[in-house]
Amino acid sequence: MEELRQIQEDKRAFLEEIQALTTRNPLNDPKFSGHHADVQHMIRQFSDNLKELNTKIGDLDNHYQKVCKPVKKLELSIQNVQKCHEKLTELIELQDCVKGVETAIEGSDYEHAASFIQKYIELKNILQIERKDAEFLNQTKDKLSEIVRQKFSQAVREQSAPDIERFAKLFVPVGLHAEGLKKYLNYIAEALARDIKGTMDHFNSRGEADKRFMNATELAFSQQIEKILDMGITYFDSQKSFIKENFGRYGKLRYLAALRDVINRKVIEFIGVLMKEKRVVEACRDIDRGDSERYTAEKLDYICEEVTAVSHQVQLFEMFFTDKAKKLTKKISNGCDAKFHVVWTKEFAEANGLSFQDGLVVSDVDTKLQEICGYYLVIEKAYQLKNFNRTLQTLDITTVSKLATENIESDEPILAQASGVVDDIYYVLLKCVARSLTSFDLSSACGLLIHISELLKESYIEAFDNLTDQFFKKEGFRMFGGSDAANKTIEFSKERTIINTGLIIILNNIELSSDYVDKLIDQLRQEFENQFQVDLDKDEFTSDSYIQVNEHKVNMFLSQVENLKEIQVSLRSFLHDRIKFLINSFFVVIKAYLEPFTTLSFEINEETFSNYGNSDPFMEGFIYKLRKGVNQWQLQLSPPNFDDFIECMVEMITIRMEKIITQKRFNEFGGIHLERSIRQLQSFFQGCTSKIVRAKFQRLQNICSLLALSDPKDIRDYIGIHSSNEWVLGNDEIKAFLSLRSDFAPEQIHNLKALQ
């Protein structure tokens, strides 16, 4: 047949080529010029041969058609014979079932008997079975089914594992798939429940001495929960292959749900024991009433450790179950297990003791965990507050004064700091939130972050505020060394030095606290990534493991973490205000330093101007006194605080100098000399700090530029070459400072039009 088809195809291709050849006219080709007669003779001869060949091909085609019809009939006959053979085989098999099933039962060969019944179940839908044979086989099926039930029950009573598995396998071939799966799962569930009960009974039988010892040395409850959950995992791993082989993936899914149900019931029972023994509800009730003094921080800490450790273990198991269930469901719904096909629906979940909430499978244990985590949040807040207040109490005026005295009596002044207090507070804050994350309860973590923000914004800053006020109100705060105001320096009396150092300690700790907020934010993000195994820098929060991440709750948690930056703003604002207040207390000293400046004359001739050169005797002395005091403060203040300290000092000095300048008279040489002096002062302060101080000197620089002009009319060109940020004086101020020039006529200044 295949050869005939190939000949037919070759014929068709050959005819197409001949047709193409005959349609071309070779007589038009120049190379045949003079040979037309010969060519025409050859074409006629070729055409005759072609007709003869076409006739032969047609005969061959007719022969092909005659042969093809019998072959097709033969193929149909072969198919009919095969069907008859299959039918005959099935009839023989049916007869074998009728003859062999009873013999197999009588010989206790139940596996063989079950295979006969399974074949009968398959054949009865495709064969017309005689009534008597059908009745016999149905009766035999019922008889074998009852035997399988009885033998399985007997094996369960006798706890014979080989027989239990043997007869569990026979439920499926006799058509009792659902019943067999249910009975076998009940057996496994009861076995797991017995093992868990034994563990719980042993744990609950502890004596009071053992309970006290375990409570003081280990997380007893979380360890027992871990044992229970490990039992569930062990059972699942030991039976999953048998279940899948005999009951399919659907059976494996049902098996997973059955184990979860047993474990959840026992876990809920065990959590009840935990709450009772640890008096969790009672502790929360006392805390809500404001009666938390009866609980030590250590006691509250231990309760929180137990609750979060238990929640961690249970949540991991729940997420493990859900991950396994989803994977099995996907395989089943994709048709990979057609024999035991089931679609994962709400109805299926409810039929297997599950429920749905927000698109995720939840159980009673989830509800119990939410309840206990609610209690945990109350206790964790109380633990936070107790440690917070206890640590802050160590930072009182007596302690700080003692630290200050030790600092100034040391051979070399060192950075004044009581960082232990800040370390302890931020350690506790981080510990509490990190612990809440181990429970996988982001609602608790968010609640703790809100509590932290309230503590830091209110209690923490308020404590430092009260402490600085106590130092500012001390009598020695206004005392300075020396009796001659003109010779005063920033070398204070011993009492004032202790006060200054105490204030520095406080300021440094506030600045350190601001840095710790940054660290706290980074560490909390890192703790979250480690616990949930996600990368927060990615656009989507997807875990690399079976740990589940709720994107809405993640965003809520991250939002609360970012809100901690507001605390930084509050701390830095408070810090700047306190540094400014401290600087203002030096006003009498700065005023004394600037006293010679008030007596200087700036109406000088060219000779005096030349004698000054690029230096100013007053400014050199002023900078010398400033440097002596500033160096001492630089040793004790933290770098950021010292920068802020310098900035506030510059602001106070420039304001004072501007006030003095408005009371003087200038000529051009005096204005140029003042401009040089101010640049010298700016250069000194710029060398002291990493901040840019130019902005603080902007007004003085503008004033000096006005006082150094050769002609008032030059002011317009001068302003034009400076940006709006560099020129800060208004029109009225410009005229007021120009009027300080004794060599400028009033009408010259008055006639100046709008300059900006």
Side-chain angles (χ1 to χ4, degrees), residues 239-270:
Q239 294 292 323
K240 62 183 180 181
S241 297
F242 177 84
I243 294 287
K244 179 181 176 183
E245 180 181 347
N246 294 281
F247 299 101
R249 287 194 176 92
Y250 166 67
K252 191 176 176 181
L253 186 61
R254 288 283 303 274
Y255 175 51
L256 192 65
L259 292 182
R260 184 203 193 205
D261 181 60
V262 173
I263 291 173
N264 283 356
R265 283 189 281 108
K266 294 301 181 182
V267 165
I268 290 172
E269 180 181 340
F270 203 69

Side-chain angles (χ1 to χ4, degrees), residues 354-486:
L354 308 174
S355 61
F356 273 67
Q357 178 180 328
D358 298 331
L360 295 176
V361 182
V362 296
S363 66
D364 292 339
V365 77
D366 295 307
T367 304
K368 194 67 176 178
L369 286 176
Q370 290 176 9
E371 177 187 350
I372 195 173
C373 284
Y375 292 129
Y376 153 74
L377 182 59
V378 174
I379 297 172
E380 188 73 276
K381 285 181 178 180
Y383 169 73
Q384 259 188 1
L385 185 60
K386 191 174 286 288
N387 275 278
F388 189 85
N389 291 336
R390 183 175 62 182
T391 305
L392 275 185
Q393 286 171 2
T394 64
L395 194 64
D396 57 12
I397 191 167
T398 303
T399 304
V400 175
S401 297
K402 182 180 178 181
L403 289 171
T405 302
E406 292 173 354
N407 183 278
I408 64 176
E409 290 178 353
S410 63
D411 294 336
E412 294 183 6
I414 57 175
L415 181 69
Q417 206 169 69
S419 59
V421 174
V422 181
D423 288 342
D424 291 345
I425 286 177
Y426 279 86
Y427 167 76
V428 170
L429 298 182
L430 176 62
K431 173 185 176 181
C432 292
V433 182
R435 177 161 58 192
S436 71
L437 289 175
T438 64
S439 71
F440 296 108
D441 181 29
L442 289 179
S443 297
S444 296
C446 290
L448 288 175
L449 286 172
I450 293 172
H451 190 237
I452 287 174
S453 296
E454 293 172 351
L455 285 177
L456 294 179
K457 280 184 179 179
E458 298 172 9
S459 302
Y460 193 64
I461 293 179
E462 182 181 353
F464 280 113
D465 190 21
N466 292 335
L467 192 55
T468 53
D469 279 347
Q470 291 178 50
F471 274 104
F472 287 146
K473 291 176 181 178
K474 290 189 74 170
E475 183 178 351
F477 182 66
R478 299 296 178 185
M479 295 173 62
F480 297 90
S483 57
D484 185 1

